[in-house]
PDB file of all heavy atoms in Angstrom:
ATOM      1  N   SER D1229      -3.479 -21.587  -8.900  1.00 91.00           N
ATOM      2  CA  SER D1229      -2.055 -21.940  -8.803  1.00 91.00           C
ATOM      3  C   SER D1229      -1.134 -20.987  -9.552  1.00 91.00           C
ATOM      4  O   SER D1229       0.018 -21.326  -9.825  1.00 91.00           O
ATOM      5  CB  SER D1229      -1.793 -23.376  -9.272  1.00 91.00           C
ATOM      6  OG  SER D1229      -2.156 -24.273  -8.261  1.00 91.00           O
ATOM      7  N   ALA D1230      -1.608 -19.788  -9.861  1.00 93.00           N
ATOM      8  CA  ALA D1230      -0.764 -18.803 -10.551  1.00 93.00           C
ATOM      9  C   ALA D1230       0.218 -18.116  -9.603  1.00 93.00           C
ATOM     10  O   ALA D1230       1.093 -17.394 -10.049  1.00 93.00           O
ATOM     11  CB  ALA D1230      -1.629 -17.759 -11.255  1.00 93.00           C
ATOM     12  N   GLY D1231       0.053 -18.324  -8.295  1.00 92.00           N
ATOM     13  CA  GLY D1231       0.954 -17.714  -7.320  1.00 92.00           C
ATOM     14  C   GLY D1231       0.398 -16.459  -6.675  1.00 92.00           C
ATOM     15  O   GLY D1231       1.130 -15.690  -6.056  1.00 92.00           O
ATOM     16  N   LYS D1232      -0.893 -16.253  -6.800  1.00 95.00           N
ATOM     17  CA  LYS D1232      -1.521 -15.030  -6.274  1.00 95.00           C
ATOM     18  C   LYS D1232      -1.358 -14.919  -4.762  1.00 95.00           C
ATOM     19  O   LYS D1232      -1.009 -13.856  -4.253  1.00 95.00           O
ATOM     20  CB  LYS D1232      -3.013 -14.998  -6.645  1.00 95.00           C
ATOM     21  CG  LYS D1232      -3.279 -15.056  -8.148  1.00 95.00           C
ATOM     22  CD  LYS D1232      -4.758 -15.128  -8.471  1.00 95.00           C
ATOM     23  CE  LYS D1232      -5.474 -16.314  -7.899  1.00 95.00           C
ATOM     24  NZ  LYS D1232      -5.310 -17.580  -8.591  1.00 95.00           N
ATOM     25  N   SER D1233      -1.594 -15.997  -4.047  1.00 95.00           N
ATOM     26  CA  SER D1233      -1.506 -15.960  -2.580  1.00 95.00           C
ATOM     27  C   SER D1233      -0.059 -15.872  -2.106  1.00 95.00           C
ATOM     28  O   SER D1233       0.267 -15.059  -1.234  1.00 95.00           O
ATOM     29  CB  SER D1233      -2.180 -17.184  -1.962  1.00 95.00           C
ATOM     30  OG  SER D1233      -3.555 -17.165  -2.251  1.00 95.00           O
ATOM     31  N   THR D1234       0.791 -16.685  -2.667  1.00 94.00           N
ATOM     32  CA  THR D1234       2.189 -16.707  -2.237  1.00 94.00           C
ATOM     33  C   THR D1234       2.868 -15.373  -2.515  1.00 94.00           C
ATOM     34  O   THR D1234       3.448 -14.757  -1.614  1.00 94.00           O
ATOM     35  CB  THR D1234       2.952 -17.852  -2.947  1.00 94.00           C
ATOM     36  OG1 THR D1234       2.255 -19.080  -2.697  1.00 94.00           O
ATOM     37  CG2 THR D1234       4.369 -17.958  -2.443  1.00 94.00           C
ATOM     38  N   SER D1235       2.777 -14.904  -3.746  1.00 95.00           N
ATOM     39  CA  SER D1235       3.387 -13.612  -4.091  1.00 95.00           C
ATOM     40  C   SER D1235       2.648 -12.459  -3.421  1.00 95.00           C
ATOM     41  O   SER D1235       3.247 -11.454  -3.053  1.00 95.00           O
ATOM     42  CB  SER D1235       3.384 -13.403  -5.608  1.00 95.00           C
ATOM     43  OG  SER D1235       4.194 -14.366  -6.233  1.00 95.00           O
ATOM     44  N   GLY D1236       1.337 -12.615  -3.257  1.00 97.00           N
ATOM     45  CA  GLY D1236       0.528 -11.567  -2.644  1.00 97.00           C
ATOM     46  C   GLY D1236       0.928 -11.279  -1.209  1.00 97.00           C
ATOM     47  O   GLY D1236       0.987 -10.113  -0.790  1.00 97.00           O
ATOM     48  N   LYS D1237       1.195 -12.311  -0.435  1.00 98.00           N
ATOM     49  CA  LYS D1237       1.633 -12.126   0.957  1.00 98.00           C
ATOM     50  C   LYS D1237       2.947 -11.358   0.997  1.00 98.00           C
ATOM     51  O   LYS D1237       3.137 -10.459   1.825  1.00 98.00           O
ATOM     52  CB  LYS D1237       1.807 -13.479   1.652  1.00 98.00           C
ATOM     53  CG  LYS D1237       0.514 -14.172   1.956  1.00 98.00           C
ATOM     54  CD  LYS D1237       0.782 -15.545   2.544  1.00 98.00           C
ATOM     55  CE  LYS D1237      -0.504 -16.349   2.618  1.00 98.00           C
ATOM     56  NZ  LYS D1237      -0.273 -17.744   2.968  1.00 98.00           N
ATOM     57  N   ILE D1238       3.855 -11.713   0.103  1.00 97.00           N
ATOM     58  CA  ILE D1238       5.160 -11.054   0.052  1.00 97.00           C
ATOM     59  C   ILE D1238       4.991  -9.603  -0.394  1.00 97.00           C
ATOM     60  O   ILE D1238       5.580  -8.689   0.202  1.00 97.00           O
ATOM     61  CB  ILE D1238       6.118 -11.836  -0.878  1.00 97.00           C
ATOM     62  CG1 ILE D1238       6.360 -13.243  -0.309  1.00 97.00           C
ATOM     63  CG2 ILE D1238       7.435 -11.079  -1.055  1.00 97.00           C
ATOM     64  CD1 ILE D1238       6.984 -14.213  -1.293  1.00 97.00           C
ATOM     65  N   LEU D1239       4.184  -9.390  -1.423  1.00 97.00           N
ATOM     66  CA  LEU D1239       3.918  -8.040  -1.916  1.00 97.00           C
ATOM     67  C   LEU D1239       3.315  -7.173  -0.814  1.00 97.00           C
ATOM     68  O   LEU D1239       3.737  -6.026  -0.618  1.00 97.00           O
ATOM     69  CB  LEU D1239       2.972  -8.096  -3.123  1.00 97.00           C
ATOM     70  CG  LEU D1239       2.526  -6.761  -3.717  1.00 97.00           C
ATOM     71  CD1 LEU D1239       3.722  -5.990  -4.280  1.00 97.00           C
ATOM     72  CD2 LEU D1239       1.476  -6.992  -4.803  1.00 97.00           C
ATOM     73  N   ALA D1240       2.358  -7.703  -0.091  1.00 97.00           N
ATOM     74  CA  ALA D1240       1.730  -6.953   1.004  1.00 97.00           C
ATOM     75  C   ALA D1240       2.778  -6.540   2.035  1.00 97.00           C
ATOM     76  O   ALA D1240       2.789  -5.387   2.493  1.00 97.00           O
ATOM     77  CB  ALA D1240       0.634  -7.795   1.660  1.00 97.00           C
ATOM     78  N   GLY D1241       3.664  -7.453   2.380  1.00 97.00           N
ATOM     79  CA  GLY D1241       4.731  -7.130   3.330  1.00 97.00           C
ATOM     80  C   GLY D1241       5.651  -6.040   2.813  1.00 97.00           C
ATOM     81  O   GLY D1241       6.042  -5.137   3.561  1.00 97.00           O
ATOM     82  N   MET D1242       5.997  -6.107   1.538  1.00 95.00           N
ATOM     83  CA  MET D1242       6.878  -5.095   0.934  1.00 95.00           C
ATOM     84  C   MET D1242       6.252  -3.709   0.971  1.00 95.00           C
ATOM     85  O   MET D1242       6.939  -2.714   1.155  1.00 95.00           O
ATOM     86  CB  MET D1242       7.167  -5.441  -0.535  1.00 95.00           C
ATOM     87  CG  MET D1242       7.989  -6.649  -0.752  1.00 95.00           C
ATOM     88  SD  MET D1242       8.028  -7.004  -2.531  1.00 95.00           S
ATOM     89  CE  MET D1242       9.752  -7.353  -2.703  1.00 95.00           C
ATOM     90  N   LEU D1243       4.927  -3.663   0.754  1.00 94.00           N
ATOM     91  CA  LEU D1243       4.233  -2.376   0.671  1.00 94.00           C
ATOM     92  C   LEU D1243       3.710  -1.892   2.017  1.00 94.00           C
ATOM     93  O   LEU D1243       3.213  -0.772   2.119  1.00 94.00           O
ATOM     94  CB  LEU D1243       3.056  -2.489  -0.311  1.00 94.00           C
ATOM     95  CG  LEU D1243       3.387  -2.848  -1.752  1.00 94.00           C
ATOM     96  CD1 LEU D1243       2.105  -3.057  -2.550  1.00 94.00           C
ATOM     97  CD2 LEU D1243       4.257  -1.778  -2.389  1.00 94.00           C
ATOM     98  N   GLY D1244       3.780  -2.742   3.038  1.00 95.00           N
ATOM     99  CA  GLY D1244       3.202  -2.392   4.330  1.00 95.00           C
ATOM    100  C   GLY D1244       1.683  -2.458   4.302  1.00 95.00           C
ATOM    101  O   GLY D1244       1.001  -1.728   5.013  1.00 95.00           O
TER     102      GLY D1244
END
Side-chain angles (χ1 to χ4, degrees):
S1229 281
K1232 302 176 300 281
S1233 296
T1234 305
S1235 296
K1237 288 176 190 171
I1238 297 165
L1239 177 63
M1242 292 173 136
L1243 299 174

